[in-house]
């Protein structure tokens, strides 16, 4: 039995987003647990599809002693404030010094955190941890699929284990895999070689989906390299590829991969093979983007013959990538073209949601909704909104991505503009529209809706693709800019291409 410290600090930073991640955002609960420290961590993460939940469950099964540190996560936004970063570090610093010694450390990290005081949040965290526990203690971390896996992260961690699905339905599984690797390293005590590679082009998030090619085939290869090499005893113990998070204006933004094993030549060869495969598929990382009016008109036409919903992915206002979840370009287009029966969610407008509650079900609410932040100069959509259904905003996710998540995003409301027949789901807190329960919470059964607008880039596919007739990708106003060429970068490393087969960034 080993004594293993466990903690986590999760944030996906869109440096172009208008809202920062403050300490309060890490402390409060949303779809994921609130700040947890010490003994409360173990029961606090149970049942969630998050890496630390899978990790602590596997540690218990293996009989290791779990020493809980601290864990916190905040919704994707702009820079983590220096105050938040330092307050979280203070918890780690105190616990690491007070609760040691340890045989190993497991960390639940994202990999794309940028703070006001460091552009490599995870690299800085690992550096500070090494300053306390030394260079030899095994430190294994799980990473999000969208990590910008930096050289410092690869150098400072003993091993890094990333998700293999987008939508992320394997988050808890990844925590479990990280612990299985850590346990193996502790038991075998053999030298581990590392091969790290960065790719030289950015991949838009919307085309990173592992439900479709080319990412599907690439991650099939990731699994095959790991499993195949193990079966042939060639010394590969772990393979991770992170396609990156383009809305991060940092030098190390972009896709990367890391391979670990006991045979140096096999490790290098596997890394080269995977890097070559990703590069060979560069041209395939592309797809059709529609403006809101094109999307509304095509959806209306397709819905006339469809037996299932036409899903519109409002990808640039995805709160899961730093969007405000309140832009109204797609909503306005659906209303303009009278897309009767269409429903869009989630429109995060606390004032409108609370006004709907005060107005009461069945009554008319005369006011604007959405555009609370006013991103892109947008204005709220004014209409006579009938309040159809009120919800508390407290419910449990049931889909593959958010399954087990205990939502606290209310009050909520379903409101309908009777002139166009278009409805919107209002909520008070930002949360990605990636679980059907968000709509059921206000009386909407998603499978019966002719046109369904979702504030999400890819995660929605886990729960909504099975009920969709077709999916259209919409490029409407939003803080998560889909095409990296349109992002006002200042800090990328020179020579990286801004998108697949795109222009090379030369600096400013």
């Amino acid at each position: 039995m080993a004594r293993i410290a466990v903690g986590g600090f999760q944030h996906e930073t869109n440096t172009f987003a208008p809202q920062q991640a403050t300490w309060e955002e890490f402390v409060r609960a949303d779809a994921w647990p609130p700040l947890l420290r010490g003994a409360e961590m173990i029961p606090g993460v149970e049942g969630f599809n998050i890496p630390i939940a899978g990790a602590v469950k596997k540690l218990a099964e293996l009989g290791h002693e779990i020493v809980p540190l601290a864990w916190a996560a905040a919704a994707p936004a702009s820079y983590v404030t220096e105050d938040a970063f330092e307050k979280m570090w203070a918890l780690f610093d105190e616990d690491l010094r007070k609760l040691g010694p340890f045989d190993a450390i497991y960390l639940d990290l994202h990999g794309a955190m940028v703070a006001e005081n460091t552009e490599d949040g995870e690299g800085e965290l690992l550096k500070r941890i090494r300053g306390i526990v030394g260079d030899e203690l095994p430190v294994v971390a799980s990473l999000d699929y969208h990590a910008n896996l930096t050289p410092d992260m690869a150098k400072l961690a003993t091993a890094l284990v990333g998700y293999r699905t987008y939508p992320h339905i394997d988050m808890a599984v990844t925590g479990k895999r990280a612990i299985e690797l850590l346990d193996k390293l502790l038991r075998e005590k053999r030298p581990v070689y590392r091969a790290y590679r960065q790719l030289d082009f950015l991949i838009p998030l919307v085309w990173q989906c592992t439900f479709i090619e080319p990412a599907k085939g690439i991650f099939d290869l990731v699994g095959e390299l790991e499993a195949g090499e193990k079966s042939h005893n060639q010394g590969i113990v772990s393979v991770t590829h992170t396609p990156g998070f383009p809305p991060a204006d940092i030098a190390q933004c972009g896709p990367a991969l890391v391979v670990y094993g006991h045979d140096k030549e096999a490790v290098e060869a596997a890394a080269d093979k995977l890097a070559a495969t990703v590069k060979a598929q560069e041209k395939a990382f592309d797809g059709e983007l529609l403006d809101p009016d094109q999307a509304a008109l095509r959806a209306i036409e397709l819905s006339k013959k469809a037996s299932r919903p036409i899903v519109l992915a409002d990808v640039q206002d995805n709160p899961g990538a730093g969007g405000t979840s309140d832009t109204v370009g797609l909503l306005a287009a659906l209303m303009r073209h009278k897309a009767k029966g269409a429903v869009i969610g989630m429109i995060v407008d606390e004032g409108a949601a609370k006004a709907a509650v005060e107005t009461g079900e069945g009554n008319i609410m005369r006011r604007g909704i959405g555009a609370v932040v006013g991103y892109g100069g947008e204005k709220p959509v004014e209409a006579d909104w009938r309040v159809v259904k009120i919800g508390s905003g407290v419910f449990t996710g049931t889909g593959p991505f958010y399954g087990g998540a205990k939502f606290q995003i209310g009050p909520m409301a379903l409101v309908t503009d009777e002139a166009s027949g278009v409805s919107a789901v209002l909520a008070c807190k930002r949360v990605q529209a990636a679980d059907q329960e968000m709509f059921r919470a206000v009386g909407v059964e998603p499978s019966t809706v002719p046109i369904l607008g979702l504030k999400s880039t890819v995660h929605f596919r886990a729960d909504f693709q099975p009920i969709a007739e077709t999916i259209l990708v919409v490029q409407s106003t939003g803080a998560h800019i889909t095409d990296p060429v349109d992002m006002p970068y200042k800090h990328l490393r020179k020579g990286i291409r801004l998108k697949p087969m795109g222009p090379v960034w030369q600096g400013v």
Side-chain angles (χ1 to χ4, degrees):
M1 182 178 75
R3 194 165 189 268
I4 300 177
V6 174
F9 191 18
Q10 281 254 0
H11 193 257
E12 183 175 76
T13 306
N14 175 347
T15 60
F16 305 109
Q19 299 161 296
Q20 285 191 304
T22 64
W23 180 239
E24 289 71 25
E25 296 296 305
F26 286 97
V27 170
R28 71 173 177 86
D30 45 30
W32 304 138
L35 169 68
L36 299 168
R37 190 183 187 195
E40 67 178 357
M41 181 193 297
I42 308 303
V45 301
E46 185 177 359
F48 285 89
N49 180 25
I50 53 179
I52 196 164
V56 297
K57 183 179 179 182
K58 189 61 184 179
L59 282 169
E61 290 173 359
L62 292 169
H64 293 303
E65 179 186 353
I66 302 170
V67 184
L69 304 174
W71 181 94
S78 188
Y79 293 88
V80 175
T81 64
E82 182 174 358
D83 172 71
F85 189 89
E86 294 302 334
K87 281 180 175 174
M88 191 64 185
W89 167 248
L91 301 183
F92 276 109
D93 187 30
E94 180 181 350
D95 290 348
L96 286 168
R97 295 181 190 278
K98 182 174 66 176
L99 302 177
F102 313 108
D103 295 307
I105 297 175
Y106 161 74
L107 297 170
D108 176 11
L109 305 178
H110 184 285
M113 179 188 294
V114 185
E116 290 178 316
N117 54 326
T118 174
E119 72 169 32
D120 182 2
E122 290 81 5
E124 177 65 20
L125 184 71
L126 287 164
K127 179 182 177 182
R128 294 185 186 189
I129 288 172
R130 285 295 185 197
I132 296 172
V133 304
D135 296 334
E136 301 305 316
L137 189 78
V139 177
V140 173
S142 54
L143 295 179
D144 192 282
Y145 183 93
H146 302 301
N148 288 316
L149 202 168
T150 69
D152 278 353
M153 289 162 58
K155 175 183 175 183
L156 292 164
T158 307
L160 300 166
V161 179
Y163 306 170
R164 292 179 178 175
T165 64
Y166 184 32
H168 305 329
I169 58 177
D170 67 334
M171 292 185 287
V173 169
T174 300
K176 172 178 175 285
R177 288 173 46 233
I179 294 303
E180 288 172 340
L181 176 58
L182 179 55
D183 180 69
K184 177 182 176 68
L185 298 178
L186 287 171
R187 283 187 289 103
E188 296 185 353
K189 293 182 172 59
R190 296 172 63 190
V192 176
Y193 298 99
R194 175 186 65 246
Y196 169 78
R197 305 283 188 272
Q198 285 182 304
L199 284 303
D200 57 3
F201 62 95
L202 300 179
I203 305 174
L205 287 184
V206 68
W207 311 126
Q208 292 183 11
C209 177
T210 56
F211 282 18
I212 58 178
E213 297 295 349
K216 182 181 183 300
I218 289 168
F219 277 87
D220 285 346
L221 175 61
V222 168
E224 289 166 10
L225 284 171
E226 190 176 277
E229 297 291 358
K230 283 178 182 175
S231 68
H232 291 93
N233 296 313
Q234 293 187 26
I236 303 296
V237 296
S238 179
V239 180
T240 284
H241 167 46
T242 54
F245 189 63
D249 189 11
I250 63 172
Q252 305 303 335
C253 179
L257 61 93
V258 62
V259 179
Y260 301 97
H262 304 305
D263 182 315
K264 192 175 189 302
E265 288 187 7
V267 167
E268 295 290 344
D272 286 341
K273 182 176 182 178
L274 181 54
T277 299
V278 177
K279 288 180 181 179
Q281 291 294 331
E282 180 177 354
K283 196 172 184 179
F285 282 107
D286 203 358
E288 183 182 35
L289 298 170
L290 304 173
D291 69 36
D293 289 296
Q294 291 173 325
L297 289 169
R298 188 180 297 183
I300 291 167
E301 194 61 33
L302 290 171
S303 68
K304 292 176 182 177
K305 298 180 180 179
S307 58
R308 298 187 297 173
I310 308 300
V311 171
L312 304 179
D314 194 357
V315 297
Q316 296 199 145
D317 195 30
N318 171 17
T324 56
S325 197
D326 71 347
T327 67
V328 294
L330 180 55
L331 170 63
L334 291 168
M335 293 170 64
R336 209 163 31 243
H337 298 292
K338 294 183 168 54
K340 186 176 180 180
V343 180
I344 185 171
M346 318 287 284
I347 304 291
V348 177
D349 185 335
E350 184 174 359
K354 290 181 176 178
V357 173
E358 293 175 6
T359 300
E361 292 182 3
N363 298 318
I364 297 293
M365 178 177 72
R366 294 179 175 86
R367 62 164 291 152
I369 69 170
V372 177
V373 176
Y375 186 86
E378 284 194 336
K379 302 295 183 184
V381 176
E382 302 281 346
D384 287 347
W385 299 99
R386 184 170 297 280
V387 180
V388 180
K389 182 76 173 176
I390 299 297
S392 67
V394 178
F395 56 92
T396 301
T398 57
F401 173 66
Y402 269 134
K406 299 171 179 64
F407 290 91
Q408 302 173 55
I409 60 171
M412 297 174 67
L414 176 69
V415 297
T416 300
D417 166 43
E418 295 188 332
S420 64
V422 175
S423 300
V425 179
L426 303 174
C428 291
K429 294 181 181 178
R430 288 189 310 137
V431 63
Q432 187 171 176
D435 196 290
Q436 294 185 45
E437 293 302 322
M438 297 178 188
F439 292 86
R440 293 180 184 132
V442 287
V444 176
E445 178 49 54
S447 63
T448 67
V449 173
I451 299 171
L452 192 60
L454 302 174
K455 300 281 189 177
S456 178
T457 302
V458 168
H459 285 318
F460 74 91
R461 288 181 182 264
D463 207 18
F464 291 90
Q465 185 163 305
I467 67 167
E469 186 79 21
T470 192
I471 294 169
L472 305 178
V473 179
V474 188
Q475 195 171 19
S476 187
T477 300
H480 166 46
I481 299 169
T482 297
D483 189 342
V485 172
D486 297 331
M487 296 182 196
Y489 292 110
K490 294 181 180 178
H491 305 297
L492 292 181
R493 61 188 181 277
K494 289 184 179 180
I496 192 167
R497 290 190 293 287
L498 293 176
K499 69 176 184 179
M501 312 306 292
V504 175
W505 197 75
Q506 301 290 352
V508 293

